[in-house]
């Protein structure tokens, strides 16, 4: 039997175990790093339900402070099904990062297949001149570990 997440959209750090994939991308002076984790206790392979957590680190390498305003995700499973998710901030906040600061959060995504991928963008605001700019979230794979053998 598999467990349901205790709260929708809530992925505490202690559920994150066994990173098997990390990617990194720099756009407009912002480094985005992504680590992914399969969540077997919250998956039901017989029912084609596969839960993944991902940890994102956002680093501001600019000389000006930034604010993350919005996110836009593309989620694709190995059957070719596409989903888009967009909205304000990340995990309920719009983090403000001074030069040299970083912000980290954990979230998750469910798939109907054992393999999938995600990528997307963040809309950021330069806090000095209020100009908006887009930062790319690198594509990352979500693969159940037994598919890697």
């Amino acid at each position: 039997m598999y467990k349901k997440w205790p709260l929708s959209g809530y992925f505490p750090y202690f559920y994150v175990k066994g990173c098997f994939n990390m990617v990194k991308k720099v756009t407009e002076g912002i480094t985005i790093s992504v680590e992914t984790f399969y969540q077997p206790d919250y998956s039901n392979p017989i029912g084609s339900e596969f839960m993944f957590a991902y940890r994102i680190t956002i680093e501001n390498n600019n000389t000006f402070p930034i604010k993350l305003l919005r996110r836009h995700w593309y989620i694709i499973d190995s059957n070719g099904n596409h989903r888009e998710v967009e909205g304000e901030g990340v995990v309920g906040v719009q983090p403000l990062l001074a030069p040299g600061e970083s912000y980290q959060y954990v979230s998750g995504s469910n798939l109907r297949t054992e393999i999938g991928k995600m990528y997307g963008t963040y809309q950021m605001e330069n806090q000095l001149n209020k100009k908006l700019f887009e930062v790319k979230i690198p594509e990352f794979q979500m693969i159940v570990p037994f598919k890697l053998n």
Side-chain angles (χ1 to χ4, degrees), residues 18-22 36-38 52 141-145 148:
C19 173
F20 66 88
N21 187 20
M22 183 175 179
T36 57
F37 310 85
Y38 176 57
F52 295 87
Q141 294 185 349
M142 297 172 287
I143 305 171
V144 296
L148 295 173

Side-chain angles (χ1 to χ4, degrees), residues 14-108:
F14 60 84
Y15 288 133
V16 178
K17 299 183 246 173
C19 173
F20 66 88
N21 187 20
M22 183 175 179
V23 295
K24 197 179 267 200
K25 186 173 196 72
V26 179
T27 312
E28 300 281 342
I30 309 297
T31 303
I32 307 295
S33 304
V34 185
E35 300 169 90
T36 57
F37 310 85
Y38 176 57
Q39 301 292 289
D41 292 345
Y42 299 93
S43 297
N44 178 11
I46 294 170
S48 295
E49 297 174 4
F50 303 93
M51 190 68 201
F52 295 87
Y54 53 88
R55 180 171 39 225
I56 305 265
T57 304
I58 303 166
E59 300 173 70
N60 182 7
N61 305 308
N62 291 302
T63 58
F64 52 86
I66 59 164
K67 184 176 185 179
L68 190 157
L69 300 177
R70 299 188 60 79
R71 70 191 182 287
H72 189 160
W73 286 107
Y74 300 90
I75 307 162
I76 304 163
D77 70 20
S78 59
N79 286 337
N81 296 315
H82 295 275
R83 288 185 289 159
E84 285 187 50
V85 176
E86 58 182 315
E88 291 186 359
V90 291
V91 293
V93 296
Q94 292 181 315
L96 182 63
L97 286 80
E101 283 188 339
S102 63
Y103 178 80
Q104 189 174 83
Y105 72 95
V106 175
S107 191

